[in-house]
Every structure is written in structure tokens, then in C-alpha cells.
Amino acid sequence: MATVDLAEAVDPTLVLLTVEEAARRLRIGRTVCYRLISSGELESITVGHLRRVPADAVPEFVTRRRKRQHPTAATAA
């Protein structure tokens, strides 16, 4: 991974991510990310004609998935 890519991947100042950036953070493919957006599982917005994923939507998605996959661990915490 190039240094610039690494800086973008962990930049806490980004408010909106491209679909590719969100996919990279989730370590999934671009097509899978678009599928999650289409199904409503991953929040996204449009800015003009561009599709963007709010940066805070990525950890929220992971939290929801973890609760769904491990419901007893989520209630015990």
C-alpha cells in the first residue's frame, strides 16, 4: 500500500468516503460495498451525482453486524 493510501485510510478528518475508500476500510470489494449500500445495510448519501459513505457509517455497520452475529456477547457487555 502506498504511503498516500495509508494516510487516507486512517485520516480521521474525512467526513465522507468514496465507495472505494469505504470498501477498503471494510476490507471488502467495491461491488460488495455497492450491494450493501443498495440493500440499505451501509448508509450512503449523494452529493450532486456522487455517492459517498459517511465515515461514521462504517463503524456503525460493523457494530450492527457484530450484534447480529453474536447477540449474546452484545447483551453481556
Side-chain angles (χ1 to χ4, degrees):
M1 181 183 288
T3 306
V4 174
D5 291 339
L6 181 59
E8 289 176 8
V10 295
D11 185 354
T13 63
L14 293 177
V15 177
L16 296 174
L17 307 172
T18 65
V19 175
E20 290 79 6
E21 290 168 334
R24 193 175 325 125
R25 286 188 181 193
L26 290 167
R27 301 287 196 247
I28 61 175
R30 185 176 145 275
T31 303
V32 173
C33 196
Y34 272 109
R35 202 173 308 136
L36 291 171
I37 289 168
S38 294
S39 71
E41 288 188 71
L42 181 60
E43 180 187 355
S44 72
I45 62 171
T46 54
V47 179
H49 69 281
L50 304 171
R51 176 69 49 192
R52 294 292 182 253
V53 176
D56 61 348
V58 174
E60 289 172 4
F61 165 77
V62 173
T63 300
R64 281 193 311 275
R65 276 288 177 110
R66 290 178 75 183
K67 285 180 182 176
R68 240 182 22 211
Q69 289 183 1
H70 305 286
T72 55
T75 56

